[in-house]
């Protein structure tokens, strides 16, 4: 179901539908990454103006489309200067994330053996991603942070999840690479 029609929305949905028909998760995410990069760079899809509006004190999440046939959803995220996430997962769902405008820093983490009942993580890589770039997360390699490194520019990213992303686990630092896990319900901002 399309939340709001926008130029190129049908082209975006058709590309995603074609990708999710692949046989394996890796093939799906590879196809989605390539299609998303191509669509962003060609500028044939124009996201609604509202996705460029920031939210006070947090990043904004706006669901643009949810497939009734395939179950996936498309969420635009708006990152004000310096806004980001703690380490989090996607509750076992794959995701392809593309930078629409601005820049984002994505740090991936490897989960280590738990210590004293706490989760342990170590960063294993980071990228600075600009417009037209995309990456994928496939469980169990889904732990990451996302942050807009700019002091003055807004960033927008498009996220395609294998299902409705309504909650996730977040990990708050306790020190010495140890983290406490909490569950977070994820809301959606209005699309207008």
């Amino acid at each position: 179901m399309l939340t709001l029609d926008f130029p190129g929305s049908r082209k975006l949905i058709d590309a995603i539908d074609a990708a999710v028909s692949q046989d394996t998760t890796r093939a799906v995410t590879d196809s989605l990454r390539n299609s998303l990069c191509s669509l962003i760079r060609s500028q044939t899809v124009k996201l609604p103006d509202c996705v460029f509006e920031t939210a006070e004190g947090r990043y904004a999440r706006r669901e643009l489309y949810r497939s009734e046939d395939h179950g996936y959803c498309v969420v635009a995220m708006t990152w004000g200067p310096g806004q980001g996430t703690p380490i989090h997962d996607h509750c076992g769902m794959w995701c392809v994330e593309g930078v629409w405008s601005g820049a984002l820093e994505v740090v991936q983490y490897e989960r280590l053996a738990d210590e004293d009942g706490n989760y342990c993580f170590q960063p294993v890589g980071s990228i600075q991603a600009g417009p037209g770039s995309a990456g994928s997360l496939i469980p169990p390699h889904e732990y990451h942070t996302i942050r807009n490194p700019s002091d003055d520019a807004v960033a927008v990213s498009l996220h395609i999840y294998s299902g409705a992303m309504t909650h996730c686990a977040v990990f708050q630092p306790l020190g010495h690479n140890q983290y406490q896990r909490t569950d977070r319900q994820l809301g959606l901002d209005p699309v207008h």
Side-chain angles (χ1 to χ4, degrees):
M1 175 173 57
L2 191 62
T3 308
L4 177 70
D5 195 21
F6 52 91
S9 59
R10 187 75 255 162
K11 190 169 189 166
L12 174 65
I13 294 164
D14 289 346
I16 300 169
D17 284 348
V20 299
S21 69
Q22 302 293 318
D23 292 334
T24 66
T25 299
R26 172 100 30 225
V28 168
T29 58
D30 285 349
S31 179
L32 277 175
R33 244 188 358 267
N34 291 331
S35 295
L36 193 54
C37 288
S38 177
L39 287 169
I40 294 169
R41 291 175 186 156
S42 71
Q43 299 182 0
T44 57
V45 177
K46 305 290 184 203
L47 295 181
D49 290 342
C50 66
V51 306
F52 298 92
E53 299 170 4
T54 60
E56 185 65 35
R58 62 178 175 76
Y59 63 93
R61 300 179 74 246
R62 294 178 176 93
E63 186 175 84
L64 300 179
Y65 181 76
R66 185 177 300 183
S67 173
E68 294 172 5
D69 294 331
H70 303 289
Y72 68 82
C73 69
V74 179
V75 177
M77 294 190 190
T78 313
W79 311 85
Q83 290 179 338
T85 69
I87 297 174
H88 66 283
D89 68 12
H90 287 167
C91 290
M93 287 190 280
W94 59 255
C95 176
V96 172
E97 304 170 338
V99 178
W100 202 270
S101 67
L104 292 173
E105 177 184 54
V106 180
V107 179
Q108 291 185 303
Y109 292 84
E110 179 181 335
R111 184 173 171 195
L112 306 173
D114 296 347
E115 291 181 17
D116 302 323
N118 295 315
Y119 290 78
C120 296
F121 292 99
Q122 134 182 327
V124 292
S126 69
I127 61 165
Q128 293 275 337
S133 60
S136 58
L137 297 161
I138 302 172
H141 306 287
E142 61 182 321
Y143 302 104
H144 65 290
T145 59
I146 303 176
R147 184 179 76 85
N148 177 354
S150 175
D151 292 332
D152 57 5
V154 171
V156 174
S157 53
L158 201 64
H159 301 241
I160 304 162
Y161 298 103
S162 60
M165 184 72 173
T166 59
H167 67 283
C168 67
V170 297
F171 301 88
Q172 300 298 335
L174 299 171
H176 305 292
N177 289 336
Q178 292 189 9
Y179 296 80
Q180 181 177 26
R181 180 186 193 272
T182 58
D183 289 321
R184 178 178 289 174
Q185 293 298 325
L186 300 173
L188 293 170
D189 293 285
V191 176
H192 51 87

